[in-house]
Amino acid sequence: MLRLLGTRCTRGLGSSVPARPATGLCLPGRSQSRRASDMPRNHPPSPELVARSVGICSMMRLPVQTSPEGLDAAFIGVPLDIGTSNRPGARFGPRRIREESVMLRTVNPSTGALPFQSLTVADLGDVNVNLYNLQDSCRLIQEAYQKIVAAGCVPLTLGGDHTITYPILQALAKKYGPVGLLHVDAHLDTADKALGEKLYHGTPFRRCVEEGLLDCQRVVQIGIRGSSMTLDPYRYNRNQGFRVVLAEDCWMKSLVPLMAEVRQQMGGKPLYISFDIDALDPAYAPGTGTPEIAGLTPSQALEVIRGCQGLNVVGCDLVEVSPLYDLSGNTALLAANLLFEMLCVLPKVATA
């Protein structure tokens, strides 16, 4: 009976295909060579038929598998927080986001998106990071994502601190070349170094610029705010060609017009979405390591992500959820919903 419930929960009700074992990227697994179009679609189970407390703790209670082969998109956890500069705890973000994702359902009535009727999606578990060595962790992340991207699978990442975006973009650039970037954050993340170190969660996009991973004329940063050590903290970014949209320029307004401009700027070339949960005001998302007041609202976050529909999105991440400061679970719940919205704007997703 337990085996039956597990199968129903992870494969979707009515499916005769057995669930894959609950393992992740860190463990060896059998390669799946069939094309995604030849495989049955995975569907999160309906809470009307399977209780939300039943099943393994995967993203949206999707199947967990070890290989990206045969998948159009996948959720991946990167439980790393040794690049943080203030409050730690983002290593527990992927697990908590998965727990809260039990509230998510299969379609998006607001946009008409039908992701699970369009794509084969699974949870690939977590990258086996090295919590004692940030450089080695970046190597492990890059290697894992190279395999995912090479398989034609679009990664949707559960962070982890923002350092992880750097090795992910290294992997993506090997396939796509320099990509556009939609970066939603309270912080620029283009510092050069801190305490003598050039790699931490405040430097990923400086390192990306130096390595030519970004198409700098197609980089937009939204939600930037907070105190600074200089009066012009945006100079480096704007000198690279980035568009920097301050949080105060978003106050009390819809971001739909802004996203129309972003879509025009991004065109049809590959685009990566990197969303730091601290872009949102800490009244909505307190569970993060470097909170800044007067941020975006959840409705504005939805406008930003939904505004990417029709763009050539090749990967996404949601980072910096720290459950230690998220007593209600609302930050992780918000993160889970934003990841679902990212899934809904992937290029192959049909709309009703």
Side-chain angles (χ1 to χ4, degrees), residues 288-299:
T288 192
T290 50
E292 303 282 0
I293 67 165
L296 304 182
T297 66
S299 59

Side-chain angles (χ1 to χ4, degrees), residues 62-180:
L62 285 164
V64 179
Q65 67 182 63
T66 59
S67 170
E69 296 295 332
L71 296 178
D72 297 303
F75 295 101
I76 307 103
V78 185
L80 181 73
D81 66 357
I82 59 174
T84 54
S85 59
N86 191 40
R87 304 190 305 201
R91 68 181 66 180
F92 304 114
R95 184 177 302 175
R96 191 72 174 105
I97 293 169
R98 287 182 172 110
E99 289 176 358
E100 295 297 335
S101 74
V102 73
M103 283 296 298
L104 296 171
R105 303 164 185 89
T106 57
V107 302
N108 192 330
S110 297
T111 65
L114 304 168
F116 297 103
Q117 295 183 29
S118 312
L119 307 176
T120 301
V121 188
D123 188 324
L124 284 177
D126 294 331
V127 177
N128 186 22
V129 295
N130 181 351
L131 292 178
Y132 306 112
N133 188 318
L134 188 55
Q135 293 279 0
D136 190 46
S137 286
C138 287
R139 177 188 64 81
L140 293 166
I141 295 166
Q142 181 183 357
E143 290 176 356
Y145 276 77
Q146 282 180 213
K147 296 175 182 177
I148 294 167
V149 173
C153 177
V154 177
L156 299 106
T157 302
L158 293 65
D161 74 57
H162 222 151
T163 312
I164 69 174
T165 306
Y166 167 51
I168 293 172
L169 287 173
Q170 286 179 316
L172 285 168
K174 289 184 181 297
K175 179 174 182 177
Y176 299 106
V179 298

